[in-house]
Amino acid sequence: AAARIKRFQTLTAVKPDHPETRMLMAELHIAAEDFPAAAVALGDLAETDPTARTLTLMAAIERGQGADDSVVRGWLARALTASRGPQWICDSCGTAHADWAPICAECGSFDTLSWKTAPAGGGALPNSAEMLPLIVGRVKPPEDKDETPKPVTADLAVQDDAQPVDYDDITGEVIEVPQQAKAQN
């Protein structure tokens, strides 16, 4: 992780105070699980330029530093209604695009995508799902204390000693197979 941060030093040295540089460095430090350094890299962007990305990064930093879940949820709630920051927006129809293209995928206009900030709440962040595990953490599977056997489902592998089953086409429930059908299989 430290080697990855070092590889970006030349790029980040060009404009160290640019918001994209600060968010990149915060993301790199989060990936390296160096949350105090991520907070320093992000600085005051969550207050001075509260985009969905900066607020989500703050939630990840808070989670990494062991903050209470209510604090993390507070940052995420703010991120839901925040501006998405600069992105490719069609000047004709206002559709946000993850990547530049010569023709708007929504309205078909030619050369109308501009790099600008969309209105708050408009469009989804590209690649934002990559940060989700850092925000929500690992989910523990529920403990199964019920010892009753589970119904057989179609996606389970067939075992050599498995009894034939049939499924209701409408409900998908297991139907008891008549005894003579069992003998034929």
Side-chain angles (χ1 to χ4, degrees):
R4 187 173 184 205
I5 293 170
K6 187 176 179 180
R7 284 194 311 262
F8 278 94
Q9 281 181 338
T10 304
L11 176 65
T12 58
V14 175
K15 290 194 174 193
D17 293 327
H18 191 278
E20 285 295 325
T21 302
R22 293 168 64 185
M23 288 185 283
L24 170 65
M25 291 306 297
E27 289 170 346
L28 290 171
H29 286 294
I30 289 170
E33 297 185 10
D34 185 355
F35 300 105
V40 169
L42 193 60
D44 64 351
L45 274 182
E47 287 79 31
T48 60
D49 188 16
T51 65
R53 186 172 166 204
T54 58
L55 297 171
T56 302
L57 287 170
M58 274 306 300
I61 291 167
E62 293 284 2
R63 160 116 16 233
Q65 291 180 329
D68 188 66
D69 282 347
S70 63
V71 173
V72 175
R73 283 192 303 269
W75 286 110
L76 293 175
R78 286 183 59 198
L80 290 174
T81 58
S83 162
R84 302 300 183 218
Q87 52 190 328
W88 293 107
I89 307 291
C90 177
D91 295 327
S92 295
C93 67
T95 300
H97 298 270
D99 298 308
W100 182 86
I103 298 173
C104 175
E106 184 66 26
C107 69
S109 297
F110 177 72
D111 196 26
T112 57
L113 298 188
S114 300
W115 185 251
K116 59 186 180 182
T117 301
L125 283 173
N127 303 322
S128 61
E130 294 171 3
M131 297 299 290
L132 192 58
L134 295 172
I135 296 166
V136 298
R138 287 187 169 51
V139 178
K140 292 182 182 178
E143 291 183 23
D144 190 11
K145 294 181 182 183
D146 185 8
E147 298 298 325
T148 59
K150 303 289 184 244
V152 178
T153 60
D155 60 338
L156 293 177
V158 177
Q159 300 171 357
D160 292 336
D161 62 344
Q163 298 297 318
V165 294
D166 197 5
Y167 299 92
D168 185 294
D169 292 334
I170 297 172
T171 65
E173 294 178 2
V174 175
I175 300 172
E176 188 65 35
V177 178
Q179 198 65 23
Q180 65 262 40
K182 289 181 185 178
Q184 291 174 355
N185 289 336

